[in-house]
Amino acid sequence: MAGPSAPSEGVDNIGAATWAHSLKAVKRGGVLVINGITTGHAAETDLLRIFVEQIDIRGTIMGTLEEMNAMMQFVIRNNIEPEVGAVVPMIGAREAIRDMVEGRTRGKTVFTR
């Protein structure tokens, strides 16, 4: 279960690989938003935690500019930094994308010119 310093809001854009951790990270009465499934769309869920802790789960694909600005402010306010797993020149994009699709990456893959 989440500790006393758990956030009331969480965002999961990874999917199956991080779902259990994301769910545990949200405190009672909090909201967990999922907006991506880069590691898969099917994840086992602790239903007991969801209803006992009264956690709201929301999914979103796109949003307004205002919502994007609010998300960026959330990221800045909470000092969230993405994990960069690889920096790849565009010439290596085909292999890097294959690695992402096959689940052999960790963190974000950044493509450069």
Side-chain angles (χ1 to χ4, degrees), residues 37-106:
I37 54 170
T38 57
T39 62
H41 68 277
E44 198 166 307
T45 299
D46 182 353
L47 297 174
L48 181 64
R49 175 156 173 70
I50 293 169
F51 71 80
V52 168
E53 297 297 326
Q54 300 175 1
I55 295 171
D56 287 336
I57 297 173
R58 299 182 188 159
T60 185
I61 293 176
M62 298 176 69
T64 65
L65 179 58
E66 180 180 297
E67 290 167 330
M68 179 64 173
N69 287 333
M71 174 60 75
M72 293 307 299
Q73 289 305 312
F74 174 81
V75 168
I76 292 166
R77 208 173 38 249
N78 291 284
N79 297 317
I80 297 171
E81 293 186 24
E83 177 182 348
V84 176
V87 177
V88 180
M90 289 302 288
I91 195 155
R94 182 180 305 272
E95 294 81 14
I97 291 170
R98 185 178 324 116
D99 288 345
M100 286 189 288
V101 168
E102 294 176 359
R104 293 192 306 253
T105 60
R106 179 183 169 116

Side-chain angles (χ1 to χ4, degrees), residues 11-49:
V11 177
D12 187 319
N13 61 4
I14 305 300
T18 57
W19 183 249
H21 174 76
S22 295
L23 187 59
K24 288 178 185 175
V26 179
K27 74 178 181 180
R28 181 179 180 87
V31 177
L32 178 56
V33 177
I34 182 159
N35 65 345
I37 54 170
T38 57
T39 62
H41 68 277
E44 198 166 307
T45 299
D46 182 353
L47 297 174
L48 181 64
R49 175 156 173 70

